[in-house]
Amino acid sequence: MVYNLKRLHIPFYKLLKGLLLVSICLTANTKANSIYFFNLKKTGTINDRSSKAIQNEIKNAILKQGNLDLVNEIELTTFLEQEKIDLKDCDYPCYKKLGVKNNLNFIVKGEITKRSSVWQVDFVLIDVLSKQEPYSFSIKSKKGSIKLLSKIKNKINDFFNQNNVIKP
C-alpha cells in the first residue's frame, strides 16, 4: 500500500495547531496576583542608598514567592491625584478600597528606622481581597544594614513557607 505523505502530515498539523491554540488560551486565562509597594517611610539617620537596598530586598523577597505582577508606581500615583486621596489619613480599610479600585491583590507599606546603630523595618502586607488582617513584619538589627537585609530575606521566606498567602 502506498501512502501519500502530504495527507499524513495534514491531521498532525491540525492537531499541533489545536494544541497550540488551547495552550495560548490557558496561558491567557491565568492571571497573576498584582502587588504594589509603597515607598517605606524613613525615620532617623538613613541615607537613600541604604533605604533603596532595604526596600529592594523586601520587594525581591516577596516577588520571589510566586505568581505576582508588580504594579507600576505611576499608575497608582495618577489615581491618588485624581481621587484626591491623602495617604496620611489612609487606614487599612482605605488601603483595601484603594487596592480594589486599582485591581490590586496586595499592598506593602511601612517604615524604616535607624537610631544610632540599631536598624528596624516595620511593614505590613495587606491582602486586599481577603478579610484577613494585614500581615505585620517587624525586623530589627543591631549589627548594621547588611545583617538587616539577611534577616528580612529569612523572615519573609519563613513567613511564606508557613502561610499560603499568594494563590497561584
Side-chain angles (χ1 to χ4, degrees), residues 5-51:
L5 292 177
K6 288 184 180 178
R7 284 192 171 183
L8 286 176
H9 291 292
I10 290 173
F12 183 69
Y13 172 72
K14 285 183 178 180
L15 177 65
L16 280 179
K17 188 176 173 183
L19 288 173
L20 180 64
L21 185 60
V22 168
S23 69
I24 290 172
C25 289
L26 289 174
T27 305
N29 287 337
T30 57
K31 185 179 175 189
N33 293 305
S34 57
I35 188 165
Y36 182 79
F37 291 86
F38 282 96
N39 285 330
L40 299 180
K41 180 181 164 192
K42 297 187 289 185
T43 305
T45 57
I46 302 169
N47 62 38
D48 288 339
R49 186 174 170 181
S50 296
S51 172

Side-chain angles (χ1 to χ4, degrees), residues 9-157:
H9 291 292
I10 290 173
F12 183 69
Y13 172 72
K14 285 183 178 180
L15 177 65
L16 280 179
K17 188 176 173 183
L19 288 173
L20 180 64
L21 185 60
V22 168
S23 69
I24 290 172
C25 289
L26 289 174
T27 305
N29 287 337
T30 57
K31 185 179 175 189
N33 293 305
S34 57
I35 188 165
Y36 182 79
F37 291 86
F38 282 96
N39 285 330
L40 299 180
K41 180 181 164 192
K42 297 187 289 185
T43 305
T45 57
I46 302 169
N47 62 38
D48 288 339
R49 186 174 170 181
S50 296
S51 172
K52 278 269 196 237
I54 291 167
Q55 291 186 69
N56 284 336
E57 187 65 37
I58 294 169
K59 192 180 296 185
N60 292 335
I62 292 175
L63 289 174
K64 285 181 185 175
Q65 300 304 319
N67 192 18
L68 289 168
D69 281 340
L70 186 59
V71 172
N72 188 350
E73 184 175 350
I74 296 167
E75 296 167 7
L76 195 55
T77 304
T78 304
F79 174 79
L80 291 171
E81 290 171 359
Q82 289 172 347
E83 296 291 319
K84 296 181 174 74
I85 295 174
D86 185 4
L87 292 177
K88 291 177 186 171
D89 302 328
C90 205
D91 55 1
Y92 292 126
C94 172
Y95 279 105
K96 284 190 176 243
K97 179 181 173 187
L98 184 70
V100 168
K101 291 207 178 233
N102 286 280
N103 297 319
L104 297 172
N105 297 85
F106 299 97
I107 294 175
V108 176
K109 68 172 224 69
E111 180 177 10
I112 305 169
T113 307
K114 182 181 177 208
R115 303 228 191 280
S116 75
S117 64
V118 179
W119 291 78
Q120 183 163 340
V121 178
D122 298 302
F123 65 96
V124 293
L125 174 67
I126 301 169
D127 188 343
V128 173
L129 302 177
S130 96
K131 294 182 180 183
Q132 175 75 31
E133 285 293 313
Y135 303 100
S136 296
F137 296 83
S138 184
I139 305 157
K140 192 179 210 177
S141 173
K142 296 178 181 178
K143 297 184 179 181
S145 61
I146 301 299
K147 185 68 175 170
L148 181 69
L149 294 175
S150 173
K151 285 183 170 188
I152 289 169
K153 185 176 183 179
N154 292 337
K155 181 103 172 191
I156 291 172
N157 287 337

